[in-house]
Amino acid sequence: GESVGLHLPTLSVQEGDNSIINCAYSNSASDYFIWYKQESGKGPQFIIDIRSNMDKRQGQRVTVLLNKTVKHLSLQIAATQPGDSAVYFCAEKGSGNEKLTFGTGTRLTIIP
Amino acid sequence: GAVVSQHPSRVICKSGTSVKIECRSLDFQATTMFWYRQFPKQSLMLMATSNEGSKATYEQGVEKDKFLINHASLTLSTLTVTSAHPEDSSFYICSARGGAMNTEAFFGQGTRLTVV
């Protein structure tokens, strides 16, 4: 399954399938990007990050892709599990700027 | 990863009273801490940035006299919601950055504030 972030804030994926969550960012000066997972009633949990000098980074079952040309970031989750159900936020930080700017979030639901 | 502890996780207070929320970095020194507010089904909204030993920098539209932030040590920042009203009910989250992980920000568990 695939989402377009702002236009599709919810995404349902069958357990075991791969999911792709997308994020468009606006600041071309942003040089650091993070994906967070937030479960209901909890604070955001760091998943994976990527710097602007890279276009791909892999973690355990997760991959982040960065396309600076179109200012697009995506999070791929492989072999989804029920525990992956949460809201996922992308965040960006500009060079020399302390603040993180968060995207609107995408709710991912894994269907058993 | 680094641990940030936020307390309390839930608080209910009467209108007109003040509530203090604590944010602690447990295994690193947080040179910078951030306070966010989150409404249901919405993203995180940055309220203020605080650096240890200096005054917090508030985002536009955030009342500094209502949301008092203190960052007196490298491991503790507090947010005090003064004269709370029902519209202040929200989920408040802190994050901390510092030490070797000077780019990545780690988040606390959040505080659900309900003003009745």
Side-chain angles (χ1 to χ4, degrees):
Chain A
E2 184 170 337
S3 82
V4 191
L6 290 175
H7 301 291
L8 291 174
T10 62
L11 175 65
S12 296
V13 174
Q14 202 72 38
E15 182 179 354
D17 287 353
N18 299 333
S19 68
I20 300 175
I21 301 172
N22 296 296
C23 179
Y25 64 94
S26 57
N27 187 357
S28 57
S30 293
D31 65 351
Y32 180 62
F33 305 86
I34 310 174
W35 279 101
Y36 287 97
K37 172 185 181 183
Q38 186 179 29
E39 297 175 89
S40 181
K42 297 183 180 179
Q45 176 188 358
F46 172 89
I47 301 174
I48 193 168
D49 60 357
I50 189 168
R51 295 193 178 277
S52 59
N53 61 351
M54 303 173 68
D55 52 22
K56 180 179 179 179
R57 191 158 187 238
Q58 287 183 296
Q60 187 177 13
R61 286 200 305 119
V62 295
T63 301
V64 55
L65 298 177
L66 175 62
N67 185 330
K68 294 180 289 295
T69 303
V70 295
K71 292 186 283 188
H72 184 269
L73 190 70
S74 69
L75 175 70
Q76 300 177 1
I77 305 174
T80 53
Q81 304 168 356
D84 294 330
S85 294
V87 177
Y88 290 81
F89 291 99
C90 65
E92 60 180 298
K93 189 182 82 70
S95 174
N97 189 341
E98 292 186 311
K99 301 189 293 187
L100 283 176
T101 301
F102 281 80
T104 54
T106 298
R107 177 173 295 282
L108 175 66
T109 301
I110 305 303
I111 305 167
Chain B
V3 178
V4 175
S5 176
Q6 189 173 340
H7 178 80
S9 58
R10 288 179 178 273
V11 58
I12 301 173
C13 72
K14 291 185 177 179
S15 190
T17 62
S18 296
V19 174
K20 179 183 285 188
I21 303 169
E22 293 187 347
C23 182
R24 295 181 184 272
S25 57
L26 298 185
D27 53 0
F28 69 101
Q29 293 185 324
T31 51
T32 307
M33 285 190 171
F34 305 87
W35 286 95
Y36 296 84
R37 183 173 180 176
Q38 187 177 32
F39 292 103
K41 299 184 180 180
Q42 294 191 22
S43 189
L44 283 73
M45 180 189 77
L46 180 66
M47 298 174 67
T49 302
S50 74
N51 292 294
E52 185 267 338
S54 61
K55 288 185 178 180
T57 301
Y58 289 81
E59 295 299 299
Q60 191 172 11
V62 178
E63 298 176 59
K64 61 179 181 181
D65 294 329
K66 180 165 188 63
F67 299 100
L68 301 178
I69 292 172
N70 184 285
H71 191 169
S73 78
L74 284 171
T75 59
L76 173 65
S77 176
T78 60
L79 167 67
T80 302
V81 182
T82 63
S83 187
H85 291 283
E87 57 265 30
D88 298 325
S89 299
S90 191
F91 194 55
Y92 293 87
I93 313 171
C94 71
S95 73
R97 177 188 293 156
M101 303 79 62
N102 202 36
T103 301
E104 185 177 334
F106 294 91
F107 284 80
Q109 307 96 313
T111 297
R112 171 73 59 194
L113 170 63
T114 303
V115 185
V116 297

